[in-house]
Amino acid sequence: MVQESETIWMDGKLVPWGEANVHVLTHALHYGTGVFEGIRAYECNDGTSEVFRLREHMVRLVDSAKILGFAAPYTADEMVEATVETLKANKLKGAYIRPLVFVGAGVMGVHPGDNPIKTCITAWHWGAYLGEDALEKGIRVKVSTYNRHHVNVMMTKSKACGNYVNSVLAKMEAIRDGYAEAILLDTSGHVSEGSGENLFMVKQDVLYTPPLSGVLGGLTRDSIISLANDTGYEVRETTIGRDMLYTADEVFFTGTAAELTPIREIDARVIGEGKAGPVTKLLQTEFFKILKGDNPDYEHWLHRYEA
């Protein structure tokens, strides 16, 4: 269950959590015409707090709306300010943050007409997305029977609400079959991503990850590529077959919610030693140092605030 905060930012003002409502004929509710971001705030070891790559998330949110053909009512900078306002109002030193821009109620039909474009930002306390033990022990995943969207079927570079029905189906299938998460292949049969995560594999100390042409370019993905390069590892963006995953030394997911989560098993094949491998552990440790404000080289990724 979501741990309720006191207020939610809606269309320029803070409203009580229980009053942040929309009409049942909201266009996005029926047709998925909304875009969103997942963002994290962390309490740092020096007592301050930070939101990780906040402005870049908001720029992507505005771009996602543009891809779907409507304009976000607020600029990226205005939503950055609104996010900090929301965190402070709810006294959240660390949080998961969900901004949402969506087509509201008005015309009811596939074409949204001149329906109003609504915006909300919600923040709440949230723990480990895939479980408290997942970051250390790793998770079991399966290759889904569902493919990721073809680039000419959906707008795959927009973080659109409707796109995630594909993710919901894959995730439900994985849970039903006894796994924690799914890996989706693209329509050519190559590895794409998880239901809400990007994927990396390690083979002989080289990192491999699917190219941007076949995945949503995650900001955590981008961060890990930079961190790996700075740490001395080579990263290759290339097509990956599922058989390459089975014989990898290490495999892990990245994402705002998943952070950096090891994968210990895929389709009943144990990956490496069946736990977080040395490269995964190193990157995980260094990544969390950044998130906790302990590496000044990456300070530009942190939007500091005091709750």
Side-chain angles (χ1 to χ4, degrees):
M1 296 290 290
V2 171
Q3 184 174 325
E4 293 186 9
S5 299
E6 292 183 11
T7 58
I8 292 174
W9 191 92
M10 290 195 73
D11 297 321
K13 63 182 180 180
L14 292 167
V15 301
W17 180 283
E19 297 177 18
N21 302 317
V22 297
H23 196 276
V24 294
L25 292 183
T26 293
H27 195 273
L29 179 61
H30 294 260
Y31 300 108
T33 46
V35 295
F36 70 95
E37 284 291 316
I39 310 172
R40 282 248 197 181
Y42 292 87
E43 184 174 3
C44 297
N45 289 328
D46 64 1
T48 66
S49 295
E50 65 90 4
V51 188
F52 189 63
R53 302 187 72 166
L54 174 57
R55 190 176 189 280
E56 290 152 291
H57 274 289
M58 291 309 187
V59 168
R60 188 171 67 174
L61 183 69
V62 171
D63 287 346
S64 287
K66 185 176 182 179
I67 290 170
L68 290 195
F70 60 88
Y74 300 90
T75 67
D77 288 332
E78 287 171 332
M79 285 188 279
V80 165
E81 293 178 8
T83 298
V84 175
E85 179 185 0
T86 305
L87 290 166
K88 289 183 174 181
N90 289 289
K91 300 179 177 62
L92 289 168
K93 294 184 177 182
Y96 182 83
I97 304 156
R98 173 55 60 89
L100 175 68
V101 179
F102 60 99
V103 181
V107 171
M108 179 46 61
V110 173
H111 193 282
D114 294 324
N115 290 20
I117 307 302
K118 313 290 283 181
T119 306
C120 64
I121 301 172
T122 309
W124 66 92
H125 177 74
W126 201 19
Y129 175 60
L130 293 168
E132 295 298 333
D133 292 336
L135 294 174
E136 175 60 30
K137 297 180 180 179
I139 59 172
R140 299 174 64 249
V141 306
K142 67 165 287 182
V143 173
S144 180
T145 63
Y146 297 96
N147 289 114
R148 231 358 164 202
H149 300 297
H150 185 274
V151 293
N152 209 32
V153 171
M154 296 292 281
M155 296 288 97
T156 58
K157 295 300 178 267
S158 173
K159 200 170 173 67
C161 298
N163 288 1
Y164 279 77
V165 173
N166 178 240
S167 294
V168 170
L169 291 169
K171 180 81 171 189
M172 289 196 304
E173 177 188 63
I175 297 296
R176 184 186 66 233
D177 292 347
Y179 295 88
E181 187 51 282
I183 293 172
L184 292 93
L185 307 180
D186 63 24
T187 52
S188 68
H190 294 105
V191 173
S192 178
E193 55 196 345
S195 70
E197 309 91 1
N198 291 119
L199 180 142
F200 289 79
M201 60 165 274
V202 182
K203 187 73 171 181
Q204 297 179 344
D205 287 339
V206 176
L207 279 75
Y208 299 84
T209 192
L212 284 176
S213 59
V215 301
L216 181 70
L219 288 168
T220 306
R221 173 189 182 274
D222 177 74
S223 303
I224 294 303
I225 290 174
S226 295
L227 179 60
N229 286 330
D230 292 345
T231 310
Y233 289 102
E234 179 184 358
V235 181
R236 298 179 188 173
E237 297 184 62
T238 185
T239 53
I240 297 173
R242 74 166 82 181
D243 46 3
M244 293 172 67
L245 295 183
Y246 295 156
T247 59
D249 298 328
E250 306 173 41
V251 182
F252 59 86
F253 279 135
T254 63
T256 296
E259 297 167 319
L260 200 161
T261 299
I263 296 172
R264 71 172 189 266
E265 183 183 312
I266 302 174
D267 293 343
R269 278 89 163 174
V270 174
I271 306 302
E273 297 181 357
K275 59 183 180 180
V279 177
T280 302
K281 279 182 155 181
L282 175 63
L283 292 174
Q284 193 182 67
T285 298
E286 294 304 316
F287 185 55
F288 274 96
K289 285 181 182 177
I290 296 170
L291 298 179
K292 291 293 186 177
D294 290 338
N295 189 332
D297 291 341
Y298 300 91
E299 185 67 29
H300 59 285
W301 282 346
L302 314 183
H303 189 102
R304 299 275 189 165
Y305 72 97
E306 291 189 17

